[in-house]
Amino acid sequence: MTTLQSSTETPLQPGTWTIDAAHSLVEFSVRHMTVARVTGRFGAVNGAVEVPPGDPLGATVRADIDVSSVSAGHPKRDELIRSADFLDAEIHPVITFTGGPAVPTADGRWNVPGGLTIKGVTRPVVLDTVFGGVISHRGAIRAGFSAATEINRKDFGVTWNAALDSGGAIVSDLVKITLEIELVLTQS
């Protein structure tokens, strides 16, 4: 029998925490034709969190997202998102986030500042992050996080759009990004 231990108050121990892609999720959503929200996800994400000794909030993060792994519920939409009109997967196959250290907020959350690179353009973003806790199970130590941010896609050179007959645009400029990340301690 395995004993599960979890706590949202347990800090990450020093070492390298690798993203468990099978248990992590990167999603985005945009307004479509001003009346509905369309969501998508990237199925391939990898990276790590490096936690220095004595300072879990001093951790640094690097995550790489494979643009070709996009899935937005429709093959033609996926093809359009990968095209030069949007993310240009052929020339820019990876979206990258590098960040840290985390800054605690008054409500128990963390702000993780960093740089997000899309289509070769890097802009500052802040991930509003909630720590899900640490658990030990079957010899592996795992941690979980939920995070969110919002970007203007035009800031990254993703400018394609078309006007609607009634006014407005087919695709909103604002993109909500949400993350569910599970980490595994791989080196301490």
Side-chain angles (χ1 to χ4, degrees):
M1 184 167 144
T2 303
T3 302
L4 301 179
Q5 298 175 342
S6 179
S7 170
T8 57
E9 297 168 3
T10 304
L12 295 181
Q13 69 185 60
T16 301
W17 294 78
T18 303
I19 293 174
D20 179 350
H23 297 103
S24 296
L25 179 65
V26 177
E27 289 186 318
F28 61 91
S29 65
V30 296
R31 281 261 171 231
H32 181 252
M33 296 189 163
T34 71
V35 297
R37 187 163 292 284
V38 172
T39 62
R41 64 178 56 186
F42 293 94
V45 59
N46 66 69
V49 175
E50 298 289 339
V51 180
D55 184 14
L57 292 181
T60 57
V61 179
R62 178 172 174 100
D64 294 319
I65 300 163
D66 180 350
V67 174
S68 68
S69 72
V70 70
S71 175
H74 192 280
K76 287 198 179 277
R77 183 182 304 133
D78 297 346
E79 185 178 311
L80 180 60
I81 293 169
R82 286 189 288 267
S83 78
D85 285 335
F86 281 86
L87 297 179
D88 201 358
E90 189 172 315
I91 294 175
H92 304 285
V94 178
I95 294 170
T96 302
F97 174 78
T98 56
V103 178
T105 64
D107 62 358
R109 301 165 89 82
W110 298 344
N111 286 331
V112 180
L116 180 65
T117 303
I118 300 173
K119 284 185 80 170
V121 177
T122 303
R123 296 283 186 250
V125 299
V126 176
L127 298 179
D128 177 19
T129 306
V130 176
F131 178 43
V134 173
I135 190 167
S136 178
H137 179 63
R138 295 185 178 172
I141 300 173
R142 296 176 175 272
F145 295 88
S146 299
T149 194
E150 189 171 80
I151 63 169
N152 185 319
R153 64 187 178 86
K154 288 183 176 178
D155 291 344
F156 296 89
V158 182
T159 58
W160 181 91
N161 221 335
L164 296 169
D165 295 341
S166 59
I170 289 179
V171 180
S172 67
D173 293 343
L174 296 181
V175 180
K176 291 184 180 182
I177 301 170
T178 57
L179 310 162
E180 294 295 334
I181 303 296
E182 188 170 312
L183 303 171
V184 179
L185 182 62
T186 53
Q187 182 179 347
S188 56

